[in-house]
Amino acid sequence: RRVLIIDEINRGNVSKIFGELITPLEDSKRAGKEEALSATLPYSGESFSVPADLYVIGTMNTADRSLTTLDVALRRRFWFEELEPQPDQLSGIAIEGVSISDLLAGINERLELLVDRDHRIGHGYFMPLAVDERLEALRSIFRRQIIPYLRIPMMTPTCSEQSTPMRSDNSTPTILRCAGGVDKSPARGLGQAG
């Protein structure tokens, strides 16, 4: 068996990257199959076909909006398997009496409610705490990884301004309606469901 792992496959223009290789990736079009296809390599002029025992694994982060750029032709050729955050991987880790597993589960519940399920946090961020259970280690994870990550959905241009009817004092408040129904109006507060 052969395995090709392409990390963050949706970061590039996948159709251009694979080019004529998209069709030979199909199981029925691989070398040794009845409908096998081959392509001529542009520089060497040699014939090339995809081996029947090749597994192509592409990883992607669904929070990355470039996921929508994967075209239908490519989606047909891959299986999709979601890997969800696994707070139970952190069971037994507690810092100053706070269960890190429960902390992650709570954060992700709020993120799913207020932003969307694609912006949940993976358990991998907290795995270093299995060997370093200091409060400072947890602070560092939040300061250097979690907080910068959480700022991204709040800064993306998925919001649109809407004016509401004028108030009795003739002022017109502006409300930002964002993906996932998040209402960022000053009156309601950041992150309250709209």
Side-chain angles (χ1 to χ4, degrees):
R1 291 185 180 183
R2 299 173 181 135
V3 178
L4 172 63
I5 300 173
I6 305 170
D7 193 25
E8 298 194 24
I9 191 171
N10 55 320
R11 287 280 185 189
N13 183 330
V14 183
S15 296
K16 284 186 178 179
I17 292 168
F18 281 103
E20 292 182 28
L21 186 61
I22 286 179
T23 302
L25 273 174
E26 288 183 37
D27 187 53
S28 63
K29 309 287 193 261
R30 292 179 178 217
K33 301 286 182 147
E34 193 174 312
E35 299 175 30
L37 292 178
S38 63
T40 302
L41 297 174
Y43 296 110
S44 68
E46 293 180 33
S47 179
F48 173 80
S49 57
V50 177
D53 64 347
L54 175 69
Y55 292 84
V56 179
I57 299 172
T59 68
M60 62 182 71
N61 183 342
T62 56
D64 183 348
R65 292 299 172 206
S66 61
L67 172 66
T68 57
T69 63
L70 290 181
D71 67 16
V72 175
L74 186 69
R75 288 176 185 260
R76 266 196 346 252
R77 289 163 174 86
F78 284 92
W79 295 348
F80 286 81
E81 184 174 333
E82 182 176 20
L83 301 176
E84 297 200 25
Q86 299 175 19
D88 59 311
Q89 294 291 317
L90 304 168
S91 62
I93 303 173
I95 296 184
E96 296 199 8
V98 175
S99 162
I100 301 303
S101 175
D102 292 344
L103 175 67
L104 177 59
I107 290 170
N108 283 337
E109 276 182 36
R110 298 298 293 167
L111 285 172
E112 191 167 343
L113 175 70
L114 300 174
V115 182
D116 61 33
R117 68 186 316 274
D118 291 335
H119 284 85
R120 293 175 297 170
I121 297 170
H123 58 278
Y125 283 113
F126 298 98
M127 294 305 286
L129 299 175
V131 294
D132 186 358
E133 292 187 11
R134 295 175 306 121
L135 181 59
E136 185 51 42
L138 179 61
R139 279 189 186 123
S140 178
I141 289 168
F142 270 92
R143 185 174 37 248
R144 295 188 175 130
Q145 295 176 289
I146 305 296
I147 291 172
Y149 172 76
L150 292 177
R151 285 185 178 142
I152 294 168
M154 300 305 170
M155 294 171 22
T156 55
T158 58
C159 304
S160 62
E161 291 188 10
Q162 296 177 348
S163 295
T164 59
M166 291 173 59
R167 297 180 182 154
S168 58
D169 66 354
N170 291 331
S171 65
T172 304
T174 299
I175 296 175
L176 296 179
R177 295 281 179 203
C178 303
V182 177
D183 182 346
K184 295 184 179 181
S185 66
R188 303 230 10 231
L190 178 63
Q192 293 187 14

